[in-house]
C-alpha cells in the first residue's frame, strides 16, 4: 500500500464524521440530507465534511450545476480507503 493511501486512510480515521459519512455513502449516490439521516450527523456538519472529502478527492458530485440537492458518490480512490476502514 502506498504512503499516499496510508495518509488518506489516516485522514479519514481521525474523524468519526468523515468515517461515518464515507460509510453511509457506501457505493450509493445520495444528497447531503440522506447522508445525514443515514449517518446520524446533522446536515450542516455533513456539508462541511463533504467539502473536506471532496478536496481530498474522496467524494465527487455528479450534478455540479446545482447548489441544492447535489448528488455525491465515492471516487475510485475512496473505494480503496473504505475497504481499509473495516
Amino acid at each position: 500500500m502506498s504512503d499516499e493511501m496510508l495518509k488518506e486512510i489516516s485522514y479519514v480515521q481521525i474523524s468519526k464524521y468523515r468515517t461515518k459519512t464515507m460509510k453511509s455513502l457506501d457505493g450509493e449516490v445520495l444528497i447531503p440530507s440522506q447522508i445525514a439521516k443515514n449517518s446520524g450527523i446533522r446536515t450542516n456538519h455533513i456539508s462541511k465534511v463533504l467539502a473536506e472529502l471532496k478536496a481530498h478527492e474522496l467524494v465527487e458530485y455528479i450534478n455540479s450545476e446545482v447548489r441544492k440537492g447535489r448528488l455525491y458518490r465515492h471516487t475510485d480512490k475512496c473505494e480503496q480507503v473504505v475497504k481499509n476502514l473495516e
Side-chain angles (χ1 to χ4, degrees):
M1 188 175 308
S2 71
D3 286 348
E4 181 65 29
M5 186 57 63
L6 290 171
K7 287 178 186 176
E8 293 299 340
I9 292 167
S10 174
Y11 173 75
V12 172
Q13 285 181 327
I14 60 173
S15 167
K16 68 179 180 180
Y17 283 0
R18 288 185 207 124
T19 302
K20 285 182 175 183
T21 299
M22 288 181 56
K23 285 184 176 182
S24 74
L25 271 170
D26 195 28
E28 295 189 47
V29 177
L30 301 172
I31 61 173
S33 60
Q34 291 170 313
I35 298 167
K37 185 178 177 184
N38 292 351
S39 64
I41 301 171
R42 293 190 312 205
T43 307
N44 61 327
H45 291 300
I46 290 295
S47 296
K48 182 177 185 270
V49 171
L50 287 169
E52 293 169 353
L53 293 173
K54 185 169 182 333
H56 277 255
E57 299 177 347
L58 294 169
V59 298
E60 62 187 357
Y61 44 83
I62 58 174
N63 56 343
S64 59
E65 68 281 356
V66 299
R67 292 243 333 122
K68 268 188 130 91
R70 279 195 177 143
L71 296 168
Y72 286 85
R73 67 179 172 198
H74 286 170
T75 61
D76 292 338
K77 180 178 174 181
C78 178
E79 294 296 332
Q80 294 299 317
V81 172
V82 170
K83 284 179 188 174
N84 289 288
L85 288 177
E86 299 168 356

